[in-house]
Amino acid sequence: MIKKAPIGVFDSGYGGLTVLSELRKAMPDNDFIYLGDNARAPYGTRSFDVVYEYTLQAVKSLFDQGCHLIILACNTASAKALRTIQQNDLPKIAPEKRVLGVIRPCAEMIDTFSTTKHIGVLGTSGTVKSESYVLEIEKLHPHITVSQEACPMWVPLVEDNEFNTPGGEFFIRQNIESVLSKDSELDTLILGCTHYPILLEQIRKFVPNSVKVIAQGEIVAKKLAEYLKRHLDMADKCSMNGITMYYTTENPRSFEEKASLFLDEKIVAEHLDLK
Ligand code: DGL
């Protein structure tokens, strides 16, 4: 008999917690295992090969813990590693398991947010260079114009807790002004990196009220709940005790301290090595 297991949620660091918290709200009875590769974050400036290698290690580690379904709650990993893992690795290592990303659900929903049909995507250098958002949105909504902006400083600002400083706000303002100057009709900004919702308060300071700022967590949670309704066989393999476990490749005590801030609750984390 197949053993039920938590849903795996992976990110390079803390950013995936913004997705996890929405998943827990939408699916309070499900169990989750969160894995943050904080020791090797950020992924955003790393090559395709390295992001793929690290992400595959994380996926295998979550499979070893029994997970049948994994969400890559990281745009960089979704952009650079997801397709290869789905097409080349899964058929060999675990054909009955599933790995899903965060870019496709947002591309599907984006049309519902924008009136002008001119949108901006803020992401890591890796996500922007991969053009994943541009390509996915073009496939689904060819009438939408997309402007992209790489914000390479934003993930380190979150990982190092430096975002609430004048220096942090300088970088946030610079990227916001830059993306807004690319298209005067832009009315929607997607936070195309799961770390960025943690910066929302700072981001909103520099974005006019007429422009919507969209975080991915709720979208991903809604789409995952729909996916599980369509795939009852997978839903049946997910354990349901309302428990979340946390693993980090860094020091678990500092992870607990910081994650508790982002999640607004105390958590307990364990160390895990990826190789
Ligand atoms: N949260 C990851 C993302 O969504 C951050 C990537 C990084 O580590 O640079 O892209």
Side-chain angles (χ1 to χ4, degrees):
M1 209 179 81
I2 289 172
K3 193 160 179 271
K4 290 181 192 271
I7 297 173
V9 179
F10 169 67
D11 181 45
S12 60
Y14 295 107
L17 295 172
T18 62
V19 175
L20 176 75
S21 73
E22 295 299 333
L23 293 176
R24 289 176 56 195
K25 271 188 226 156
M27 295 180 276
D29 296 333
N30 274 90
D31 297 337
F32 297 96
I33 295 183
Y34 184 85
L35 170 57
D37 191 6
N38 301 77
R40 302 188 293 193
Y43 278 16
T45 42
R46 294 187 188 272
S47 69
F48 266 83
D49 288 351
V50 170
V51 172
Y52 163 66
E53 185 193 327
Y54 288 178
T55 306
L56 184 60
Q57 288 172 356
V59 163
K60 284 183 175 165
S61 160
L62 288 165
F63 282 165
D64 287 346
Q65 298 197 52
C67 297
H68 301 286
L69 175 64
I70 295 171
I71 310 301
L72 299 184
C74 174
N75 290 265
T76 310
S78 299
K80 292 184 158 187
L82 179 63
R83 187 178 292 242
T84 315
I85 289 175
Q86 285 175 332
Q87 293 181 352
N88 297 356
D89 298 294
L90 273 191
K92 284 183 241 150
I93 59 174
E96 70 298 340
K97 301 200 178 201
R98 290 291 169 265
V99 182
L100 306 174
V102 288
I103 295 179
R104 176 83 190 192
C106 292
E108 283 172 3
M109 293 282 291
I110 191 62
D111 200 34
T112 60
F113 297 111
S114 175
T115 311
T116 61
K117 306 303 174 196
H118 288 251
I119 68 137
V121 175
L122 301 162
T124 64
S125 307
T127 299
V128 166
K129 269 200 213 114
S130 75
E131 300 253 306
S132 299
Y133 272 97
V134 178
L135 298 170
E136 286 290 344
I137 293 172
E138 205 176 333
K139 251 189 270 163
L140 299 165
H141 315 289
H143 56 287
I144 293 185
T145 303
V146 183
S147 302
Q148 298 198 95
E149 174 76 12
C151 312
M153 289 304 293
W154 292 17
V155 171
L157 289 177
V158 172
E159 291 285 317
D160 302 335
N161 223 348
E162 289 287 339
F163 54 93
N164 214 353
T165 61
E169 289 198 359
F170 169 83
F171 288 109
I172 294 169
R173 176 185 206 140
Q174 201 177 44
N175 289 121
I176 296 289
E177 287 179 353
S178 169
V179 72
L180 293 175
S181 73
K182 288 178 181 165
D183 182 350
S184 58
E185 290 180 69
L186 192 152
D187 73 347
T188 305
L189 281 175
I190 309 179
L191 302 183
C193 171
T194 55
H195 280 67
Y196 296 174
I198 293 166
L199 308 172
L200 197 57
E201 205 183 304
Q202 286 75 20
I203 293 170
R204 274 271 45 139
K205 283 191 193 169
F206 308 113
V207 178
N209 286 339
S210 55
V211 175
K212 292 190 193 104
V213 178
I214 308 292
Q216 300 172 298
E218 259 181 72
I219 299 174
V220 174
K222 178 178 180 300
K223 290 286 178 183
L224 183 62
E226 286 171 14
Y227 173 89
L228 289 173
K229 280 201 188 107
R230 287 197 312 275
H231 296 87
L232 293 176
D233 53 330
M234 182 55 81
D236 200 40
K237 291 182 204 164
C238 297
S239 56
M240 310 278 280
N241 305 295
I243 292 169
T244 302
M245 285 170 285
Y246 297 87
Y247 292 91
T248 175
T249 55
E250 250 292 348
N251 178 326
R253 298 298 86 82
S254 22
F255 183 89
E256 284 166 0
E257 206 178 302
K258 211 124 145 249
S260 301
L261 276 179
F262 300 146
L263 290 169
D264 260 346
E265 67 173 294
K266 279 222 161 307
I267 63 141
V268 177
E270 278 177 51
H271 176 83
L272 182 145
D273 278 321
L274 287 178
K275 47 185 165 341

